[in-house]
Amino acid sequence: MSLLPKSVIITDDTMREGLQIERVDIPVEAKLRLLDALGETGAKTISIGSFAHPKWTPQMACIDEIAQRFVPKPGITYTAAVFNKAGYDRADQYFPKLDVRKKGRLPGTNVEMCDTFARRNYNRSQAQQIEAMDIAIENARNKGATGASVGIGNPFGSNFEGPYSLQQRMDMLALMIGKWEAAGIPVKRVSFLEAMGWNLPHLVRETLVAIKERWPGITDFHMHLHNQRGATLASYYEALQLGVREFDTCLGGMGGCPYCGNGRAAGQVPTEDFVDLCHEMGIETGYNLDKLIEAVAIAEEVVGHPLWGHVSKSGARPRGKALYPANMPFVETLEEAAHFRKGPQVYAGQLSPWKANDPLMKGAAS
């Protein structure tokens, strides 16, 4: 039985995860232009980047200038990634223009399945992450928390340690959820945080089904799955079929991870492709697909290379007045394929597959 949601929350993370793996010398003006274009797409929440130490993420060395200069658009919550108190304090000085206070969000804890990745990415072991949960849970209980979220990092497998079984995933979740329950705080949400691209549709399905059966009180799920092996759009489809409503994406499939061994190859699902899929399935996203495609074009100019989405290059499925003319000439290049947004002039001069007296051409002209 399908539990397809009526609407989804798609968080585009281009400005943070997308740009943090791109070249260091992208001008602030270009980043502000991209941020402004994102604000036109229908996004409800936009991260402007991360307040990370420039030694480790030099692409974000300009984050304070971006925070100072960007012009917020009505109806959008602007936030940023912060990883410690120093980052939080830097970001919070721009409140309320920039909101990193997470008011109303469930308190949470995250643990990596992969000890190697935990050490490479967070400079702490898996055991240290588990130990740190106790303080976080105690703080949440002291603040009167009535629910919690747990995040499991790289749940399906690791480039350094190999695949993880369903039993291993469930054992880790049981450990995390058990700690919250022992404090009298029910877990209501599970977040899947994967950087190494080991997800597959059947693994996503079996894991979600197992969680729902064992912990029926968990009703919300969040998917942040990287796409270096091309299976993530199919994995997101499986998650949709089971009622998942929260997904992370990036324009054109931007993104990546310097710690997982795949770099820019560890991109995200293209926002425009996932939005198109949802719209075709009758799921509301709040995004304007045409505006997203224009934002992808700007993103390609900003980063200086083609991105990896599909809908941005071919357009949405044409209907009504958008149907292609039957007598259009050959379309071969990506530039010519952009006629859906740039007009027929991009394929002017191409060979035509029809003769002047072709009945199809006569029908098209009548």
Side-chain angles (χ1 to χ4, degrees):
M1 183 179 71
S2 174
L3 301 173
L4 208 64
K6 293 182 179 180
S7 63
V8 290
I9 301 167
I10 301 173
T11 300
D12 179 277
D13 206 12
T14 297
M15 297 301 298
R16 184 190 71 85
E17 188 157 303
L19 292 183
Q20 75 178 12
I21 199 70
E22 293 290 337
R23 71 180 199 274
V24 175
D25 62 345
I26 296 175
V28 171
E29 292 292 344
K31 292 181 178 181
L32 289 170
R33 179 187 175 212
L34 180 56
L35 179 57
D36 190 68
L38 269 172
E40 296 293 327
T41 63
K44 299 300 185 292
T45 302
I46 297 177
S47 173
I48 68 166
S50 66
F51 285 81
H53 195 290
K55 175 182 178 181
W56 302 111
T57 314
Q59 295 91 336
M60 294 292 147
C62 60
I63 189 66
D64 282 285
E65 184 177 354
I66 291 175
Q68 292 165 3
R69 293 181 55 189
F70 87 89
V71 179
K73 295 182 183 293
I76 298 176
T77 298
Y78 291 88
T79 186
V82 295
F83 306 105
N84 51 41
K85 189 177 186 304
Y88 177 87
D89 290 342
R90 284 174 60 200
D92 195 50
Q93 67 180 311
Y94 303 106
F95 183 83
K97 179 183 180 184
L98 186 67
D99 187 356
V100 295
R101 297 184 179 183
K102 301 181 181 179
K103 184 178 180 181
R105 290 183 59 179
L106 293 173
T109 52
N110 299 328
V111 175
E112 285 290 329
M113 288 292 296
C114 176
D115 180 65
T116 305
F117 188 81
R119 295 170 187 271
R120 289 171 62 89
N121 192 33
Y122 300 106
N123 195 30
R124 58 172 58 188
S125 67
Q126 181 193 77
Q128 288 174 314
Q129 288 185 318
I130 293 171
E131 183 180 358
M133 287 182 62
D134 294 334
I135 296 175
I137 293 171
E138 183 64 23
N139 289 338
R141 183 168 62 177
N142 292 339
K143 293 178 181 178
T146 58
S149 173
V150 297
I152 182 170
N154 292 295
F156 305 108
S158 161
N159 295 336
F160 307 104
E161 298 178 3
Y164 301 121
S165 67
L166 175 62
Q167 188 61 55
Q168 286 175 294
R169 290 190 285 279
M170 296 300 286
D171 288 347
M172 179 61 76
L173 285 168
L175 172 64
M176 300 171 70
I177 293 169
K179 283 180 172 288
W180 282 102
E181 289 179 340
I185 303 172
V187 171
K188 300 180 179 180
R189 179 178 183 267
V190 172
S191 184
F192 295 89
L193 308 168
E194 189 200 43
M196 290 190 269
W198 280 66
N199 70 84
L200 286 165
H202 68 287
L203 299 180
V204 169
R205 172 171 283 276
E206 71 174 11
T207 305
L208 288 170
V209 169
I211 293 171
K212 286 170 173 279
E213 290 178 350
R214 183 165 177 179
W215 296 287
I218 297 176
T219 56
D220 296 327
F221 297 88
H222 163 234
M223 293 285 168
H224 178 102
L225 309 180
H226 283 244
N227 192 39
Q228 53 263 59
R229 294 176 178 90
T232 307
L233 190 62
S235 293
Y236 278 11
Y237 174 83
E238 285 295 325
L240 284 171
Q241 293 290 337
L242 291 167
V244 175
R245 295 189 62 245
E246 295 182 50
F247 299 87
D248 293 347
T249 60
C250 283
L251 290 177
M254 287 173 68
C257 175
Y259 304 104
C260 73
N262 300 127
R264 291 181 192 173
Q268 289 272 15
V269 165
T271 304
E272 66 277 13
D273 290 359
F274 188 51
V275 166
D276 177 68
L277 174 67
C278 289
H279 288 180
E280 291 292 333
M281 295 172 69
I283 301 171
E284 297 176 7
T285 69
Y287 282 92
N288 180 310
L289 186 57
D290 291 336
K291 294 288 187 179
L292 274 176
I293 290 172
E294 292 303 319
V296 175
I298 291 171
E300 290 186 329
E301 294 177 12
V302 168
V303 299
H305 61 79
L307 295 175
W308 302 278
H310 296 278
V311 175
S312 57
K313 296 178 176 63
S314 61
R317 294 161 185 80
R319 293 181 171 89
K321 293 182 179 180
L323 288 167
Y324 302 167
N327 61 350
M328 70 187 304
F330 289 162
V331 170
E332 296 179 315
T333 67
L334 288 176
E335 179 64 24
E336 291 167 354
H339 63 83
F340 71 92
R341 52 182 287 265
K342 294 185 175 180
Q345 64 271 16
V346 297
Y347 53 66
Q350 259 284 25
L351 293 172
S352 174
W354 311 115
K355 297 177 182 179
N357 60 351
D358 192 287
L360 182 60
M361 285 191 68
K362 293 179 180 178
S366 61

